[in-house]
Amino acid sequence: MYRTVGGYCTFFVLTILACALPVRGDVRYVDQSATSGANNGTSWANAYLELRDALSAASGAPTITELWVAEGVYKPTAGSDQEVSFVLRNGLKVRGGFAGGETSITQRSAADHITVLSGDINTPGVASDNSRHVLRFANQGATTILETCVITGGRALGGSAVPKGGGALITGSSTAPRFINCRFVGNASSGDGGAVNVEDASPTFVNCTFVGNTSSSNGGAVYSVRGAVVYTNCTFASNSASGSGGAYYTVQYEGENCFTNPVFNNCIFRNNSDSGPQDQSAQIDFDTFFCPPERPARVSALVPTAPIAVNYSFLQGWNGVFGGATNSSADPLLADIDGADNTLGTVDDNVQLTSNSPAIDFANTLALPADVADLDADANTTEAIPFDVVLRRRVNNASVDAGAFEFPDDCNNNSVPDTDDISGGTSLDCNDNMVPDECDGGDDCNANALLDECELLAGSATDCNENGTLDECDIFDEVSEDCDGNGIPDECELAGNDCNANNVLDACDIAAGTSIDCDLNGTPDECQPGGSDCNFNGIDDGCDVAGGTSEDCNENNIPDECELAENDCNANGIPDECDRDCDNSGTPDVCEDYADCNNNGESDACDIQYGGRPDLNHNGVPDDCDPDCNNNGFPDFIDLAFHISPDCNHSGVPDECELAGNDCNGNNIPDECDGLVPGDVDGSGTFNTADNAAWVACLTGPQCDAVACPTPVYAPGCCPADFDGDNDVDLKDFAQYEQLAP
């Protein structure tokens, strides 16, 4: 299993974040450990075991746009044919650095999972039987990309059909592949270009390293002729050539109709050697070719037709020939070029910058190319490339560093690069800005060790009022109310939930008693359409009645106090129709001029109907108010009806009550019932002359002429002689006697 120094993916899968990935084309997977799957490349579980098989499948399937290759050592052939190479179909992207199982390229950890394309096809460690060229490119355009891979073990030695470009042979005027974050290590050729040979083509190299490559001719790392090659942030270290240009050799063309020459931006050339001194020419050397005017021009769109250009680069032995004052001949202080094994051309070769390197912040950020491979999976391919060769953040400070490696920050001073903290899980980077969250300076208002902005991105927290503060913190700090305790600031729930527009949720108005909801429908009564509040107490009339706040004696669902106008004659707060109206007159009894014979405050009719006082004779008067002439406690009609008293004359009055002046003989029978005849003093039944003597004997008066005597003053039996009924017998009576005498 191979390992490399540093490296990580910028967008880690955290428990608090879910990746939002751009849509990619049809991806096929390669993983040498997927031995139990279908090996058709459709998933990690069914991945191809070998890259060569995936390339073969993709060659005839233009819908396959990417190959994701897990860690491992992949060889172009299972046989011994040294002329077999890896060949990428035009437009295909091959990406390395996967562990297997990732769903996004941002989940890669290149430090732990390195993808190696090796030419060591036969006897391990025997260079003479290796592949002549690990990679071949011819007629692949700029959409063909190889990234995050190590190319090693190519040997374009004697006997090869083309003894040059052991790592990659790139030919053809329409050939322009892109190499991004690739490492050419330990390749060799007997001809020009130990690692790469470019003829007529226009490839680009970004964040690439060339270490420990050798050529028995010119260009220990790269040889180019008639090639418009652009190198950005590449590092060339300890490459060697037996001829010229220990790192790079090219043919520089001059003339208006010439080929474009290579350009180096933000690069480092260190410790490369050729047959001469270890000076500038040992780093880059060239011949000059003058184009005849009749030669057709080939001008690249990437760079103008110009001499070899070296800008913002560290060039050992620099003498000002290439570029201007933006270059430096200083030692860039690389970490450990031959690595821990002290052997050049192996995967542990370490050309990272050390902390005191002058290459830090030295280079030109504006020279960074576009992120055509979309390394950060944000679907933005026009932004500057965001990562360095090991997928660390490409720009840490004011300017980009020179070379393939960006010197890593250590903001938390734990002696571990921030990017390694993040990739190893020591630190979180929830907002994917490649700065450990503890150093980000962002807010963590709820003190849960997660930046607020990251919680918002992950959806584990909200900021509904968009004030930049988590809702829970707004509530805790009493910046916002949360009257219903649901964790959402009230101001975010007012829409459709504040019918009375008092900036308080309806539910809270009701809970606090600010509003009534008598029908329990969750809407304050004052907001109920069609409701009424006749007493203006803020409560719907129906709720006043239902809740007992108001009486409704007539059951018309209107509070009684709202019906008193001209309807409360006695001002007792009760509608008249609800006061007692025993006579059903429509007017309360207390407001009528009614008969009350017993003076008990109730009308006689109510006494009879409701008061338990009988009216047996149905004369509308309580029996206790009917005449009781004999004061025996029974109305006269009772005395008569039950024969308690006689009524001889059928006058409706007990006889004993008619005796006064009407019982001349004192027998307790009204005279008219005794059969007496006026003037019949002798009781013969006839008034005749025989009564004269008896009448004279009865003469007693006058005694009662002025005022009638209360009782008779004559002798018993003389009452027939009292014609005028004044209780005495006198001359007035005699006068009437004479008129009636026979």
Side-chain angles (χ1 to χ4, degrees):
M1 197 69 66
Y2 282 78
R3 294 292 182 266
T4 188
V5 179
Y8 63 97
C9 173
T10 75
F11 195 89
F12 293 94
V13 178
L14 305 177
T15 57
I16 63 167
L17 284 179
C19 292
L21 303 177
V23 176
R24 297 187 178 276
D26 194 1
V27 176
R28 291 293 184 268
Y29 303 87
V30 182
D31 185 354
Q32 291 176 336
S33 67
T35 55
S36 59
N39 302 133
N40 57 14
T42 55
S43 65
W44 283 117
N46 295 314
Y48 291 111
L49 296 178
E50 292 294 338
L51 174 59
R52 58 180 176 263
D53 296 330
L55 290 171
S56 177
S59 66
T63 58
I64 299 175
T65 58
E66 297 191 13
L67 300 181
W68 291 10
V69 188
E71 62 182 349
V73 178
Y74 298 89
K75 301 176 182 181
T77 179
S80 58
D81 188 349
Q82 294 177 272
E83 296 297 331
V84 177
S85 305
F86 289 118
V87 177
L88 277 63
R89 190 205 71 220
N90 184 38
L92 184 67
K93 297 181 181 68
V94 176
R95 304 180 186 271
F98 292 91
E102 292 90 342
T103 58
S104 167
I105 62 172
T106 61
Q107 296 168 342
R108 291 180 291 180
S109 179
D112 299 317
H113 310 291
I114 183 170
T115 300
V116 177
L117 310 187
S118 175
D120 193 3
I121 60 173
N122 289 304
T123 306
V126 176
S128 61
D129 60 7
N130 286 14
S131 293
R132 305 298 191 193
H133 317 284
V134 178
L135 291 157
R136 288 177 186 260
F137 291 88
N139 299 317
Q140 292 96 328
T143 58
T144 307
I145 297 174
L146 179 68
E147 59 108 337
T148 318
C149 292
V150 172
I151 299 93
T152 188
R155 294 292 188 270
L157 303 176
S160 172
V162 184
K164 49 191 174 184
L169 183 63
I170 307 170
T171 60
S173 60
S174 61
T175 305
R178 300 178 189 269
F179 297 85
I180 300 172
N181 299 342
C182 289
R183 300 166 59 195
F184 292 86
V185 179
N187 300 284
S189 70
S190 58
D192 296 328
V196 177
N197 182 279
V198 179
E199 294 188 15
D200 295 319
S202 303
T204 58
F205 295 82
V206 181
N207 296 338
C208 291
T209 65
F210 299 84
V211 181
N213 301 287
T214 61
S215 168
S216 299
S217 182
N218 300 318
V222 182
Y223 177 94
S224 68
V225 59
R226 299 182 303 279
V229 191
V230 179
Y231 301 85
T232 305
N233 285 94
C234 291
T235 299
F236 297 81
S238 294
N239 301 284
S240 63
S242 299
S244 299
Y248 200 96
Y249 189 90
T250 187
V251 176
Q252 177 174 260
Y253 287 85
E254 296 181 358
E256 293 183 358
N257 293 329
C258 267
F259 294 96
T260 300
N261 296 300
V263 174
F264 301 88
N265 294 316
N266 306 342
C267 292
I268 292 176
F269 292 84
R270 191 68 185 174
N271 205 37
N272 300 289
S273 60
D274 62 6
S275 59
Q278 201 171 44
D279 55 10
Q280 176 176 282
S281 65
Q283 314 308 311
I284 301 176
D285 203 357
F286 64 95
D287 283 334
T288 301
F289 178 85
F290 294 91
C291 296
E294 67 274 9
R295 188 182 184 98
R298 179 184 180 279
V299 180
S300 170
L302 297 175
V303 293
T305 301
I308 297 170
V310 180
N311 304 304
Y312 292 92
S313 297
F314 282 80
L315 184 60
Q316 186 173 354
W318 177 61
N319 58 16
V321 171
F322 303 117
T326 56
N327 297 316
S328 173
S329 62
D331 185 350
L333 301 178
L334 303 180
D336 186 5
I337 296 177
D338 60 2
D341 63 1
N342 296 317
T343 301
L344 280 172
T346 57
V347 294
D348 72 343
D349 294 349
N350 184 359
V351 291
Q352 295 188 80
L353 305 179
T354 55
S355 60
N356 296 320
S357 172
I360 296 173
D361 298 338
F362 174 85
N364 181 13
T365 304
L366 296 178
L368 291 175
D371 183 21
V372 294
D374 195 19
L375 295 178
D376 54 2
D378 64 357
N380 184 354
T381 57
T382 61
E383 64 182 346
I385 190 167
F387 305 135
D388 70 359
V389 64
V390 287
L391 297 175
R392 290 183 179 140
R393 187 172 54 188
R394 182 66 267 191
V395 182
N396 281 325
N397 300 306
S399 299
V400 66
D401 297 349
F405 288 87
E406 192 80 6
F407 185 76
D409 283 343
D410 181 19
C411 69
N412 52 17
N413 298 314
N414 66 348
S415 299
V416 177
D418 294 341
T419 51
D420 291 350
D421 272 336
I422 294 169
S423 64
T426 308
S427 296
L428 298 179
D429 178 26
C430 62
N431 57 3
D432 189 33
N433 67 350
M434 303 314 302
V435 177
D437 291 345
E438 65 267 26
C439 303
D440 224 352
D443 291 330
D444 179 20
C445 68
N446 53 10
N448 66 348
L450 298 175
L451 293 180
D452 295 346
E453 64 177 292
C454 298
E455 293 193 78
L456 293 175
L457 286 171
S460 59
T462 56
D463 177 21
C464 68
N465 53 16
E466 298 182 352
N467 67 348
T469 301
L470 301 188
D471 292 339
E472 63 188 274
C473 298
D474 274 340
I475 294 169
F476 182 82
D477 295 334
E478 298 182 354
V479 174
S480 296
E481 297 292 333
D482 180 23
C483 65
D484 54 3
N486 67 349
I488 301 174
D490 293 344
E491 64 265 27
C492 299
E493 298 185 290
L494 292 179
N497 292 302
D498 181 22
C499 68
N500 53 14
N502 67 346
N503 291 321
V504 178
L505 296 181
D506 294 339
C508 297
D509 273 337
I510 294 169
T514 309
S515 293
I516 303 299
D517 178 24
C518 65
D519 54 4
L520 303 178
N521 69 347
T523 301
D525 295 342
E526 65 264 28
C527 301
Q528 296 273 30
S532 58
D533 181 18
C534 67
N535 52 14
F536 303 105
N537 66 348
I539 303 174
D540 182 83
D541 293 339
C543 296
D544 269 338
V545 173
T549 308
S550 294
E551 297 294 333
D552 179 24
C553 66
N554 53 12
E555 298 182 352
N556 66 352
N557 214 38
I558 299 174
D560 290 346
E561 61 266 28
C562 298
E563 298 187 292
L564 298 180
E566 299 183 3
N567 193 37
D568 184 16
C569 65
N570 56 358
N572 68 345
I574 300 174
D576 289 342
E577 61 267 28
C578 298
D579 275 328
R580 185 152 59 176
D581 177 20
C582 60
D583 57 1
N584 297 316
S585 66
T587 301
D589 296 338
V590 296
C591 298
E592 292 185 302
D593 184 13
Y594 54 82
D596 181 15
C597 67
N598 51 16
N599 297 313
N600 67 348
E602 296 283 354
S603 68
D604 293 342
C606 293
D607 273 341
I608 294 169
Q609 185 169 356
Y610 303 110
R613 297 180 182 276
D615 178 22
L616 298 179
N617 57 356
H618 304 293
N619 66 348
V621 178
D623 291 346
D624 58 351
C625 292
D626 274 330
D628 181 16
C629 64
N630 54 14
N631 296 313
N632 68 346
F634 296 105
D636 294 342
F637 77 89
I638 295 294
D639 282 341
L640 299 178
F642 291 94
H643 306 291
I644 297 172
S645 296
D647 181 18
C648 64
N649 55 7
H650 303 291
S651 65
V653 178
D655 290 348
E656 63 267 27
C657 296
E658 294 185 298
L659 296 179
N662 194 35
D663 184 17
C664 62
N665 55 8
N667 65 351
N668 291 323
I669 297 173
D671 291 342
E672 63 269 27
C673 296
D674 269 346
L676 297 178
V677 177
D680 182 19
V681 180
D682 61 3
S684 64
T686 302
F687 179 25
N688 53 31
T689 57
D691 293 306
N692 290 338
W695 190 91
V696 173
C698 290
L699 185 63
T700 59
Q703 297 183 38
C704 306
D705 285 344
V707 178
C709 294
T711 59
V713 296
Y714 45 72
C718 291
C719 62
D722 184 13
F723 282 99
D724 60 6
D726 60 358
N727 284 331
D728 70 353
V729 178
D730 55 15
L731 293 178
K732 292 180 179 179
D733 297 312
F734 182 73
Q736 294 184 40
Y737 177 80
E738 284 187 329
Q739 293 177 4
L740 297 174

